[in-house]
Structure formats: C-alpha cells, structure tokens
C-alpha cells in the first residue's frame, strides 16, 4: 500500500473549514497600469459589477457582471480624459438611489465624481469637487456632517493634507475644503471609523514620510476635528491604514501596512477610547505591501485580512483563527498578478461567499478569484489530494483519488522563484534536477488551489 503523507507544515493553505480560492479569472488585461479595483452594482440588476482605475491610460471603467456568476463584459469606459487616475470609489452622491463614481488624479490634481445618469451605468461628464489639492490619492464618500448625504474625505500626498468637502444640497454640489490636518507628511491613505466609542466616526491617516499613523477625534459630528493623536511609534514606513474590530470586544482596532518594513500588523484599542497597544504582527511574508482589505472571508463571523504586495506579486489572505485577533499563516490566493496594487472583496457569483479581486500595475490586469469555502465545509474533495513521499529524492507523486483535473503545477523555492512549472494533468513530477532544500508546490485544480511544503533530499 502506498504511503499517504499529509504535509503538516502549511505555508499557504489550511484544508479544514477555511476559505480557499480558485484560479485566476481575468476580467481584463488591458487596464494600463491598473492601480485600484472596486465592486458595486452599477446597473441595478442585483449583482455585483467591478470597477477599475488605470493610471497609464487615464481610464476609469466598469465591467458588467453578465450572468450574476462572475462572467464579465468588456470595459465600459466612464472616462479616459483624466491625467493619471489614481483611485476609484463608488457611492450615491446625488441621493437618487444608484451608484455614482468618484476618482482622484495625481497630475492634474482633481477630485471628481461622475453621475450614474440612468442607474444602468451610463455616466455624465466629470463633476469637479476640487482642483486645489496637490496630488490627491484617496477619496472616500462619508456623511461627515450628519445631514444624511454623502460628503467626501480626501488624502492628498504632496500638500500633506486630509480634507473634507461638504455636499451642500445632497445632489453633488460641493462647498470649499475643510482642512482636517495639513501635517500628514506624504499621506497615502485615509479611513473613517469610530475609535472612541462615542457613536461618531473619527479620521485616521498615515504619514508616509516617517511612517507614523495617527487619528483625529471628530468632536461634534458636524465636521470639526481635534488634534492628531499618534497611534504608534513602532513603525517608520506605514503606507496604508484601515480600522475594524479584530478581537470581538466591540472596540475598533487599527490595521496598517509597512511598505519598506514588509509587515502587516494591527494595534488593539485597549480601552475603547482610542488608546492603542503594541503592534501585533499579522505577517512578515510580504514584499512591499500596498493595500489591505478587512472582511469575513471564511464566514465564521470574525474579520480576516486580504492583502496585495507589489514586489512579490502576492494576493493573499490571513485567517483570524479565533476571532481574537490571532492570525494564521499567509495563504496565497495568487502569484500571477504582476505588481498587485489593490485588492477588494465582494460576492461576485451570488453564492453567499466573498470573492477576492486584484488590480496589478505591470500586467494591466483586473482579476477575481472565487471563494471556495463551501468546498471545505460540504465536500472536502481537496482534502483527498496528496503529495508523497516527503522528503523526496527524484519523483514526487500526486495521489488524486477523486480524479480532479490538475491544470497547473508549480514548485517555488524559498525566494519565490519558479523552479518547475507543469501545465498538464499529471500525477508525478521528476524533480531530480533540483538541489536539496525546502520548496513549496502549488497545485491548481478545477475546484481550487492547494499548496504544500516539500523537502528535496
């Protein structure tokens, strides 16, 4: 009887009741220098469509979910007349019940919005919110002054500002800028969340020049903010910041990326009043992390983390294993996004599970990855796929009792280099040419992706 060997040290994927993700589904590979992906129902048909901002061709576009199952149309261009689009977001800016589009441009210094004219995804020309910021990077739609309509919150990098603009009439007519801070040196990101438990959302930001994230208390719910309060001095390279309750205590915690430090970490809100503890590491297995997204990916009721790291081409996720903020190992969703700059999560195929999306700047690609959680809880088919022997000398066997179709098998060394690639439905690999050491094998199947550690004698 052949020896069946579980490989018990999992680097990327756990094969129990956790989310797993399928192979890459390319929405487009013509979004030149794609840097942001977003998802919303743009045409009012009840399913989730995808939007992108591509800096190289100055284009904002959306892609219709044709069947509600993740089959997407070619691009519908919202505009290609901006100069270096940096960000895209969607929200109802004029109170008519459909999703409009917001964007920033870092060359002509515009923050703009486009009206969804008919609720079907046909858009107006640009409406300028402001042209008086220097290199605006991120724009969020939030009701800052508690009057029931969407204002905008903006981080602008080269003038070191976080500002907000009031939606004066609820129809998308915006007033002058309100400066929240002009001391956010080289700010890259901004976020809006209640950090002190008073029921009013506060503002978070980062200083990319010295890496110190901070928050500002929203004093009155009308758009008046207090002074900056430093979250931590443990980092000098913070480039992205978000906030969610990671440990189930109903206090909003902070999650950041450290671009040059190659870290994703979080800070516990210790008292619910905005006092934060020491950094807790989520992962160091990222090279130049760009963006993180927080949501429940495995449907277990707590918040997991999704990440894009540019230099190692990784789209990955991290399970909140106990709902207390203890995260499992990095689980790679894809290594095929060349320079991923953005990730997002939404249910694209209507099965009740949030799928992952990525935008990658080098290969011009917008892609999505099906969340296969249900396979773990209902089928367990992937559990029956084994590799042996381990350690191995010459021939590595793949036992496949359920006859899954194996579409792509790759072996990586510890530096992330591909040392073997096989695009065939095979059950054995000749690895005699490899030097001894530790490797990782990634097997793409019709039902998802399996990753295992392998030792070569």
């Amino acid at each position: 009887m052949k020896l069946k060997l579980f490989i018990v040290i999992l680097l990327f994927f756990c094969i129990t009741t956790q989310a797993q993700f399928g192979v890459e589904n390319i929405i487009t590979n013509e979004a030149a220098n794609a840097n942001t992906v977003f998802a919303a129902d743009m045409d009012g048909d009840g399913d989730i469509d995808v939007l992108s901002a591509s800096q190289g061709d100055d284009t904002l576009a959306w892609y219709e979910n044709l069947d509600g199952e993740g089959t997407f149309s070619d691009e519908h261009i919202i505009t290609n007349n901006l100069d270096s689009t940096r960000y895209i977001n969607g929200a109802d800016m004029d109170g008519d019940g459909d999703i409009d589009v917001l964007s920033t441009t870092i060359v002509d210094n515009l923050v703009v919005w486009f009206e969804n004219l008919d609720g079907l995804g046909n858009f107006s020309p640009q409406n300028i919110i402001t042209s008086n910021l220097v290199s605006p990077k991120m724009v969020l739609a939030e009701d800052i002054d508690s009057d029931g309509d969407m204002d905008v919150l903006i981080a602008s990098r080269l003038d070191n500002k976080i500002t907000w603009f009031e939606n004066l009439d609820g129809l998308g007519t915006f007033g002058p800028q309100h400066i929240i801070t002009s001391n956010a040196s080289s700010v890259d990101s901004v976020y809006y969340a209640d950090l002190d438990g008073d029921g009013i959302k506060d503002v978070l930001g980062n200083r990319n020049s010295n890496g110190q994230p901070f928050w500002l208390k929203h004093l009155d719910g009308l758009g008046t903010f207090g002074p900056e309060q430093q979250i931590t001095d443990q980092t000098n390279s913070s480039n992205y910041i978000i906030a969610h309750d990671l440990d189930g205590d109903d206090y909003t915690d902070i999650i950041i990326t450290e671009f040059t430090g190659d870290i994703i970490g979080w800070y516990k809100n210790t008292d619910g009043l905005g006092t934060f503890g020491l950094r807790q590491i989520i992962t160091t297995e990222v090279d130049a992390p760009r963006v993180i997204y927080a949501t429940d990916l495995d449907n277990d009721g707590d918040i997991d983390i999704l990440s894009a790291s540019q230099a190692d081409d990784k789209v990955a996720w991290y399970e909140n294993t106990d709902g207390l903020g203890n995260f499992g190992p990095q689980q790679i969703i894809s290594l095929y996004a060349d320079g991923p700059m953005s990730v997002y999560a939404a249910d694209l195929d209507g099965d009740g599970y949030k799928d992952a999306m990525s935008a990658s700047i080098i290969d011009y690609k917008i892609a999505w990855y099906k969340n296969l959680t249900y396979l773990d809880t209902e089928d367990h088919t992937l559990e029956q796929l084994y590799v042996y022997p381990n350690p191995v000398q010459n021939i590595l066997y793949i036992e496949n009792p359920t006859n899954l179709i194996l579409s792509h098998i790759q072996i990586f060394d510890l530096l992330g280099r591909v040392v073997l690639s096989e695009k065939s439905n095979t059950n054995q690999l000749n690895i005699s040419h490899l030097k001894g050491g530790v490797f990782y094998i990634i097997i793409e199947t019709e039902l998802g992706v399996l990753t295992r550690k392998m030792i070569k004698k």
Side-chain angles (χ1 to χ4, degrees):
M1 181 178 178
K2 293 181 179 179
L3 175 64
K4 297 180 179 179
L5 181 63
F6 278 107
I7 305 176
V8 296
I9 303 175
L10 303 183
L11 177 66
F12 304 133
F13 293 91
C14 297
I15 311 301
T16 56
T17 56
Q18 298 178 357
Q20 294 193 45
F21 290 86
V23 298
E24 174 186 82
N25 298 285
I26 297 175
I27 297 173
T28 183
N29 53 15
E30 297 181 353
N33 303 126
N35 49 40
T36 312
V37 63
F38 187 80
D41 183 3
M42 303 308 297
D43 53 2
D45 63 357
D47 55 40
I48 303 299
D49 309 300
V50 171
L51 301 91
S52 68
S54 46
Q55 189 171 337
D57 55 10
D58 304 324
T59 297
L60 304 178
W62 73 281
Y63 311 85
E64 182 185 355
N65 193 337
L66 296 171
D67 54 7
E69 298 180 357
T71 303
F72 288 91
S73 69
D74 293 335
E75 68 176 7
H76 298 287
I77 294 177
I78 299 169
T79 184
N80 53 13
N81 293 322
L82 300 173
D83 195 350
S84 196
T85 55
R86 184 62 186 90
Y87 195 77
I88 193 168
N89 201 347
D92 182 6
M93 304 307 299
D94 53 2
D96 63 357
D98 54 38
I99 302 298
D100 308 301
V101 168
L102 300 98
S103 183
T104 61
T105 68
I106 59 175
V107 172
D108 51 12
N109 298 321
L110 293 179
V111 180
V112 295
W113 75 280
F114 300 83
E115 182 185 355
N116 192 339
L117 295 171
D118 52 7
L120 301 176
N122 295 301
F123 288 89
S124 72
Q126 69 187 31
N127 299 285
I128 296 176
I129 297 172
T130 182
S131 59
N132 294 321
L133 301 173
V134 185
S135 192
K137 295 201 69 175
M138 180 181 289
V139 57
L140 303 180
E142 300 285 353
D143 183 6
I144 304 292
D145 54 2
S146 306
D147 64 354
D149 56 37
M150 288 291 104
D151 310 301
V152 294
L153 181 64
I154 303 164
S156 48
R157 181 181 176 89
L158 295 186
D159 55 7
N160 308 317
K161 285 182 181 178
I162 295 177
T163 54
W164 76 278
F165 293 77
E166 182 185 356
N167 191 339
L168 297 173
D169 54 7
L171 301 175
T173 303
F174 287 88
Q177 69 172 298
H178 299 275
I179 298 175
I180 298 173
T181 180
S182 56
N183 191 39
S185 303
S186 302
V187 61
D188 277 330
S189 70
V190 65
Y191 204 78
Y192 198 55
D194 181 9
L195 297 181
D196 56 2
D198 63 357
I200 303 171
K201 289 185 177 182
D202 310 297
V203 166
L204 302 84
N206 73 300
R207 294 187 190 89
N208 201 31
S209 62
N210 62 17
Q212 294 179 353
F214 59 88
W215 71 282
L216 305 101
K217 178 177 174 61
H218 196 164
L219 299 173
D220 55 7
L222 302 174
T224 305
F225 292 86
E228 294 180 15
Q229 303 184 55
Q230 186 170 302
I231 293 168
T232 181
D233 60 3
Q234 286 183 273
T235 174
N236 60 8
S237 63
S238 169
N239 62 300
Y240 201 83
I241 186 167
I242 57 177
H244 287 271
D245 178 12
L246 295 184
D247 54 2
D249 61 0
D250 294 325
Y251 301 156
T252 303
D253 309 302
I254 302 295
I255 314 106
I256 67 169
T257 62
E258 300 182 24
F259 184 75
T260 58
D262 298 331
I263 292 171
I264 300 172
W266 74 280
Y267 298 83
K268 178 179 174 62
N269 191 337
T270 59
D271 56 6
L273 300 175
T275 304
F276 293 92
L278 297 176
R279 180 180 64 194
Q280 302 185 53
I281 300 294
I282 295 173
T283 187
T284 59
E285 299 297 317
V286 284
D287 193 350
R290 279 289 183 179
V291 170
I292 45 178
Y293 190 84
T295 191
D296 184 3
L297 290 170
D298 52 4
N299 281 22
D300 64 354
D302 55 40
I303 298 296
D304 310 300
I305 302 296
L306 183 65
S307 72
S309 45
Q310 182 181 359
D312 55 11
D313 299 334
K314 286 181 184 175
V315 178
W317 79 284
Y318 313 86
E319 184 196 1
N320 192 339
T321 57
D322 55 6
L324 301 176
N326 295 303
F327 287 86
Q330 181 184 78
Q331 304 188 54
I332 292 180
I333 296 172
S334 177
L335 292 167
Y336 301 116
D338 197 352
M341 297 286 286
S342 176
V343 286
Y344 200 79
D347 181 8
L348 297 182
D349 54 3
D351 63 358
Y353 299 90
K354 290 184 178 178
D355 309 298
M357 287 157 271
S358 65
S360 42
I361 196 168
I362 297 174
D363 57 9
Y364 299 3
K365 189 188 300 177
I366 307 296
W368 75 281
Y369 314 87
K370 179 177 174 61
N371 189 332
L372 299 170
T373 298
Y374 70 91
L375 294 175
D376 292 326
T377 57
E378 297 176 12
D379 192 13
H380 295 281
T381 302
L382 281 174
E383 289 190 64
Q384 301 179 50
L385 194 65
Y386 301 107
V387 295
Y388 68 95
N390 190 39
V392 59
Q393 186 166 357
N394 294 317
I395 304 297
L396 182 71
Y397 294 93
I398 302 171
E399 180 140 341
N400 186 8
T402 58
N403 296 315
L404 290 175
I405 297 174
L406 312 184
S407 57
H408 196 184
I409 304 169
Q410 289 185 292
I411 296 178
F412 293 82
D413 65 17
L414 290 180
L415 296 177
R417 297 174 298 196
V418 178
V419 296
L420 186 148
S421 180
E422 182 72 38
K423 289 187 176 181
S424 65
N425 191 22
T426 184
N427 63 359
Q428 64 183 56
L429 298 171
N430 186 339
I431 61 167
S432 59
H433 65 288
L434 298 181
K435 294 181 179 180
V438 178
F439 299 85
Y440 294 93
I441 179 171
I442 295 180
I443 305 172
E444 294 187 26
T445 81
E446 59 189 309
L447 294 182
V449 182
L450 198 66
T451 301
R452 290 290 190 258
K453 187 175 182 178
M454 180 192 79
I455 299 174
K456 171 69 166 63
K457 291 182 180 179

